[in-house]
Amino acid sequence: MLTRLVYASRATDVIDDAFLKSILGSSRAHNPEQGITGVLCVYQRGNVFLQALEGARTAVNALYCRIVRDPRHRDITLLDYSEIEQRLFASWRMGIIDVGSVNLSTILRYSEKAVLDPDTMSGRAALALLEELTTSGAIVSHD
Ligand code: FAD
């Protein structure tokens, strides 16, 4: 059975290239063998992560529990969890989206303000934003 989980968090330190490379390295090493696909949206200005994970229920739950224990981020908030019939992000072991390079009107379409603040977004809006960003070519790095 396929599931999708969307969560947001805040990095405990600056989100730099080394940090992102480390996350991509883990995703590259583990996501394919677990059948996990997804996208990770990065908003450096607010130190915010917004991530969607898709795959088998057991695999998605196991990875989420692992990610929640990662001390490099905090304030982890589960925004949405659903059983799904098909993946939205099947092309990516983990695609990275840099919100800093996205047109602010795109953010504003789904948020109260033109900043990415997952605390004020519904799970459905967060997922719709991720879907729009991937289909509009905002993925800057992927495997
Ligand atoms: P280590 O501590 O070096 O490994 C310990 C043991 O666990 C090893 O045997 C290793 O093979 C095994 N292991 C580690 N990770 C996994 C796994 N995912 N599945 C099965 N076995 C594993 N990590 C991901 O794998 N995928 C992601 O999509 C992902 N997204 C992240 C998003 C954010 C915002 C952050 C902060 C972290 C993310 N991580 C992700 C990293 C995750 O939190 C762990 O740090 C990472 O999975 C640990 O990998 P490691 O090989 O360094 O573990």
Side-chain angles (χ1 to χ4, degrees), residues 7 23 26-27 30-31 49 51 66-67 70 72 94:
Y7 77 88
I23 293 175
S26 296
S27 307
H30 304 296
N31 291 4
F49 290 119
Q51 187 174 33
R66 188 180 286 277
I67 289 173
D70 194 320
R72 294 174 296 176
M94 193 48 60

Side-chain angles (χ1 to χ4, degrees), residues 7 9 19 22-31 33-34 36 40 49-51 53 62-63 66-73 93-94:
Y7 77 88
S9 65
F19 193 170
S22 163
I23 293 175
L24 265 184
S26 296
S27 307
R28 189 179 300 134
H30 304 296
N31 291 4
E33 77 199 24
Q34 304 297 334
I36 298 277
L40 175 66
F49 290 119
L50 178 61
Q51 187 174 33
L53 303 168
L63 178 57
R66 188 180 286 277
I67 289 173
V68 164
R69 288 196 300 268
D70 194 320
R72 294 174 296 176
H73 62 166
R93 283 190 278 186
M94 193 48 60

